[in-house]
Amino acid sequence: MKYINLKVKELVGDGCFIRNDFETFKLLYNFFLHRPPFQLKILVYFFDFFIYFIAIIFFKTKINLLFSKNLTEDFLIRRAGSGNCPNVIILKRNKYSKPTIRKEFSNKDFLKMEQEYFLKYYKNDAGINLPFLTFNSNYLEYPFINYPSLKMEINRGRYSKSQILVIFKKISSSLDILYKKEKCLIHGDLTPDNIYLLDDKIYFIDYSDSEVYFRDYDKFTLLKKMLKSYLKNEKEISNYLDAYDLNKNSFWRHLKHKQIAKHNYYNKKLA
């Protein structure tokens, strides 16, 4: 099978292989690519038209063969985790030809954290949905969510700032029901990248940063990331965090500690 190796870090993270055909490119573009933010929907339309036009020319001519290579594996997309994260995300078709995500782990501790969060919250009365995960020795699998993440929808200009605050309040209320105690097992990396709003339902993915900590920390990371798409001034973001009583020094310190710890951990693994 022929694949194309994409190496533009700003677009695909630390590396990505896609099957050499236009349909697979559309999957990458619509669901996996780091997209530039747009506030006007009309700009999204013209940008998408331009990208598809260029892609069709690329894949319908023999020029694409100059960039392809043969691999013995059979998948649609294989993407290395962003930053220093060595986890690998693979989009493939299962034995029933249904698109499936496989997440491969370089360390079983992260797989264990995914499993603990899933088992604790898969059945809940908070209106939070978790895709059904199948666990193996060093990877997990779940059905592909054929819908853009909340982050991609924000970047495509679907929501205004006022609308995104309404969404935050809805997720915040659900978190209050999901997390029964002030300190409990939380997601740990609750950002728009890891949230899907589908048929008026909320879906969470990616629990490998889950930990026992204060439950409002998930609200803090979520609102901070949401607002960053609309506000460039850190003071304005802090004012909104103040309004929701989330601007706590302990949360900022914990976020920095997690970033440093992850960076140092992966540096040791890569040394």
Side-chain angles (χ1 to χ4, degrees):
M1 192 69 66
K2 290 189 177 295
Y3 292 87
I4 296 175
N5 186 8
L6 303 178
K7 298 181 179 180
V8 184
K9 187 178 180 66
E10 291 76 12
L11 296 178
V12 295
D14 289 349
C16 180
F17 281 93
I18 70 168
R19 185 175 291 181
N20 189 6
D21 59 66
F22 180 64
E23 292 304 315
T24 303
F25 170 80
K26 286 200 298 184
L27 287 171
L28 175 76
Y29 182 74
N30 289 321
F31 303 110
F32 293 90
L33 210 61
H34 296 312
R35 304 282 293 275
F38 292 98
Q39 295 303 320
L40 297 176
K41 293 182 181 180
I42 189 66
L43 293 180
V44 176
Y45 173 81
F46 285 110
F47 185 81
D48 287 352
F49 177 82
F50 173 76
I51 294 296
Y52 281 137
F53 178 75
I54 297 298
I56 287 174
I57 293 176
F58 179 82
F59 285 101
K60 296 299 182 182
T61 62
K62 292 185 178 181
I63 188 174
N64 64 314
L65 298 177
L66 299 176
F67 299 92
S68 66
K69 63 184 299 185
N70 287 319
L71 296 178
T72 57
E73 301 173 70
D74 185 13
F75 59 86
L76 298 174
I77 299 170
R78 186 178 71 195
R79 178 177 169 182
S82 60
N84 290 315
C85 181
N87 299 334
V88 175
I89 303 296
I90 298 172
L91 175 63
K92 64 185 189 67
R93 295 192 181 279
N94 64 17
K95 60 183 180 180
Y96 305 107
S97 296
K98 294 188 177 295
T100 303
I101 293 289
R102 173 181 288 196
K103 186 174 181 180
E104 297 182 348
F105 296 84
S106 60
N107 185 284
K108 291 185 178 181
D109 289 339
F110 300 121
L111 177 62
K112 182 180 178 181
M113 287 188 280
E114 293 253 10
Q115 188 172 32
E116 288 179 352
Y117 190 90
F118 172 77
L119 292 176
K120 185 172 181 64
Y121 296 121
Y122 178 66
K123 295 182 179 180
N124 66 78
D125 55 1
I128 300 295
N129 296 275
L130 310 182
F132 186 78
L133 304 184
T134 302
F135 293 92
N136 291 276
S137 59
N138 64 339
Y139 68 90
L140 61 82
E141 291 184 340
Y142 61 91
F144 172 59
I145 300 175
N146 191 20
Y147 199 78
S149 69
L150 179 57
K151 174 64 174 177
M152 297 196 77
E153 291 192 295
I154 290 173
N155 284 357
R156 289 176 61 85
R158 177 171 181 179
Y159 300 112
S160 66
K161 180 163 64 67
S162 59
Q163 288 175 314
I164 211 67
L165 289 174
V166 172
I167 292 172
F168 169 75
K169 290 176 184 177
K170 178 179 179 180
I171 296 175
S172 179
S173 297
S174 296
L175 287 174
D176 287 338
I177 299 172
L178 185 69
Y179 300 151
K180 306 296 184 183
K181 300 178 181 179
E182 182 181 0
K183 202 168 187 179
C184 58
L185 183 65
I186 64 169
H187 186 286
D189 188 28
L190 195 61
T191 67
D193 300 273
N194 296 326
I195 295 175
Y196 292 78
L197 302 180
L198 180 58
D199 297 331
D200 203 34
K201 296 179 180 179
I202 303 167
Y203 287 83
F204 289 174
I205 65 166
D206 192 3
Y207 328 120
S208 57
D209 281 308
S210 63
E211 60 180 333
V212 175
Y213 192 59
F214 294 102
R215 66 179 186 177
D216 281 353
Y217 181 78
D218 273 354
K219 298 180 187 179
F220 162 77
T221 56
L222 177 57
L223 184 58
K224 178 176 173 294
K225 282 286 190 178
M226 279 181 161
L227 291 173
K228 200 167 184 180
S229 298
Y230 301 90
L231 303 173
K232 304 306 178 185
N233 189 310
E234 291 291 336
K235 178 62 177 175
E236 289 182 290
I237 294 176
S238 293
N239 289 341
Y240 274 97
L241 291 171
D242 281 330
Y244 291 95
D245 196 27
L246 297 172
N247 196 17
K248 299 179 180 180
N249 289 332
S250 58
F251 288 173
W252 288 99
R253 288 196 300 268
H254 189 67
L255 176 62
K256 185 176 181 179
H257 170 76
K258 290 187 71 170
Q259 291 171 338
I260 292 174
K262 181 178 288 189
H263 179 76
N264 289 341
Y265 170 81
Y266 289 121
N267 275 349
K268 289 180 181 177
K269 294 288 288 185
L270 296 171

